Amino acid sequence: MGEFKGLVLREADGKVTYTVETIGDADLPPGEVTVAVDYSTLNYKDGMILNGIGRLVRKYPHVPGIDFAGTVEHSQSPDYKVGDQVILTGWRVGEVTWGGYAQKARVKANQLVHLPDGFSTKQAMAIGTAGFTAMLAVMALEDHGLKPGAEVLVTGAAGGVGSVSVALLARLGYRVTASTGRPETHDYLKSLGAAAFIDRAELAKAPTRPLDSEKWTGAIDSVGGTTLATLMTQLAYRGSVASCGLAGGSDLSLTVVPFLLRGVNLLGIDSVMCPIDRRRAAWQRLAHDLPKDKLDAITQTIPLESAGEWAGRILKGGVRGRLVIAMTT
Ligand code: NDP
């Protein structure tokens, strides 16, 4: 296939626009491995990129898409051979370099991981960057002593990171409280394993005192801002929160009191530059620990042509679970 379909972003007068058009092999960036992309996804960051927010892309024309899964079509690397199935997340692919919103992508070999046994490329992208981040968050909490049976809060629960976090934590034996602003998602979140709910408005109020009663041994937070500040005051003694996102804001106003009197941990989660050994470990854990029967409930599949429309919705918190983009249609 010398020519293939891709979504191309262009910038004019500070405004970013997109079209789905025909691209040629010669347009692909340099790299050791060319992948025929089966699926990409729409993450919150893709929403920002498609809307030209945050100056994440500096050079146009640009093919976005921060993750993809597919089959190796050409390789100059001994680590990947033609026909291997691979996953890419992060490394600023889709931001600094061309990403997964085309039927072919070309990247460095050391940016890829092999598809774990038992996963299809579609299932891998049902997880995608958001689900991979959820796994990194769970691993960070475990590294800081979280044990099955503990009370764990997930904020932004009906979103991508949140949904996979709920499913993973419930399967691993934690008691999960889901914080969501969408009561209509309660049945969905219960089906993923949520045991209790808290309205996101309750956590969004700024804390009025440095310590509140101890409620959570662990938390996975996609929201940031006052939500993160509030849940820091509610962590149990030596509890931990994995900070993943900023869907509700990037400011953080805290006192140090929870650190000093309760020995709590604020853990930063970065999926983009995550070292390769940790990546492989996370994907193996996902293959083992994530109930595959939950992936269908989490996922909606859309064509590339609809990505722009959904990009607006994800920034408004209007996407439930994960959006997989089928590249083969
Ligand atoms: P989604 O949009 O799928 O999920 C975000 C969820 O946050 C929404 O579904 C909603 O959940 C909640 N939310 C949205 N807006 C607000 C608001 N104003 N106040 C409070 N809650 C809100 O996004 P993703 O799951 O893909 O990403 C979540 C966050 O994590 C983003 O900030 C993203 O940039 C970040 N992220 C970070 C990564 C990393 O490496 N650290 C990797 C991947 C994502 P509900 O309706 O249930 O309330």
Side-chain angles (χ1 to χ4, degrees):
M1 181 165 56
E3 292 193 325
F4 51 93
K5 183 171 78 170
L7 185 148
V8 181
L9 297 180
R10 291 192 170 76
E11 189 188 36
D13 303 325
K15 195 171 179 302
V16 173
T17 55
Y18 68 87
T19 45
V20 175
E21 52 192 72
T22 301
I23 305 175
D25 274 339
D27 298 319
L28 287 170
E32 296 141 310
V33 185
T34 306
V35 179
V37 177
D38 297 337
Y39 297 96
S40 184
T41 84
L42 190 94
N43 296 275
Y44 190 90
K45 193 189 265 182
D46 294 304
M48 294 174 71
I49 290 169
L50 264 72
N51 285 284
I53 296 169
R55 286 183 51 74
L56 295 166
V57 177
R58 300 294 173 95
K59 207 167 149 230
Y60 296 91
H62 177 73
V63 172
I66 64 167
D67 50 22
F68 62 78
T71 307
V72 172
E73 196 184 84
H74 179 77
S75 173
Q76 296 169 334
S77 161
D79 297 329
Y80 293 95
K81 58 181 193 316
V82 172
D84 283 357
Q85 290 188 301
V86 291
I87 304 170
L88 179 131
T89 64
W91 303 116
R92 303 198 69 199
V93 170
E95 300 176 51
V96 174
T97 54
W98 281 23
Y101 284 9
Q103 289 173 318
K104 280 193 204 183
R106 189 177 289 146
V107 294
K108 294 178 187 162
N110 62 10
Q111 294 173 329
L112 293 166
V113 295
H114 282 103
L115 186 75
D117 287 344
F119 270 139
S120 65
T121 49
K122 187 172 184 185
Q123 287 171 325
M125 282 298 102
I127 296 166
T129 299
F132 172 65
T133 303
M135 189 71 247
L136 293 178
V138 172
M139 288 162 69
L141 293 174
E142 291 172 344
D143 291 348
H144 288 79
L146 196 73
K147 295 275 184 303
E151 290 280 341
V152 183
L153 173 70
V154 175
T155 67
V161 175
S163 294
V164 180
S165 297
V166 171
L168 267 174
L169 290 164
R171 168 55 68 93
L172 291 167
Y174 297 97
R175 186 174 185 282
V176 183
T177 297
S179 168
T180 178
R182 289 181 279 176
E184 67 275 19
T185 63
H186 284 193
D187 285 345
Y188 160 74
L189 289 165
K190 261 187 217 160
S191 78
L192 300 183
F197 296 94
I198 178 168
D199 195 295
R200 81 178 185 204
E202 275 190 49
L203 294 166
K205 293 178 207 142
T208 51
R209 48 192 176 159
L211 290 177
D212 200 342
S213 53
E214 298 181 36
K215 292 185 178 143
W216 327 108
T217 309
I220 296 181
D221 177 48
S222 291
V223 174
T226 49
T227 297
L228 178 55
T230 297
L231 74 87
M232 287 293 294
T233 69
Q234 299 177 349
L235 281 180
Y237 190 75
R238 302 198 75 182
S240 304
V241 53
S243 168
C244 300
L246 42 59
S250 57
D251 290 346
L252 185 58
S253 174
L254 293 174
T255 76
V256 294
V257 174
F259 300 109
L260 308 185
L261 296 189
R262 288 198 183 144
V264 301
N265 304 298
L266 176 53
L267 311 174
I269 304 299
D270 167 49
S271 65
V272 177
M273 303 310 285
C274 174
I276 195 73
D277 288 350
R278 190 80 168 168
R279 279 172 194 268
R280 291 193 184 116
W283 280 104
Q284 289 309 325
R285 284 287 307 273
L286 283 160
H288 187 261
D289 295 334
L290 183 66
K292 290 202 187 63
D293 59 326
K294 306 289 186 220
L295 280 176
D296 279 348
I298 290 176
T299 312
Q300 192 175 335
T301 305
I302 59 169
L304 184 60
E305 287 75 6
S306 304
E309 176 194 330
W310 283 97
R313 287 188 212 170
I314 201 165
L315 295 182
K316 294 189 182 120
V319 170
R320 192 189 86 173
R322 298 274 303 134
L323 286 172
V324 169
I325 302 177
M327 297 304 311
T328 44
T329 54

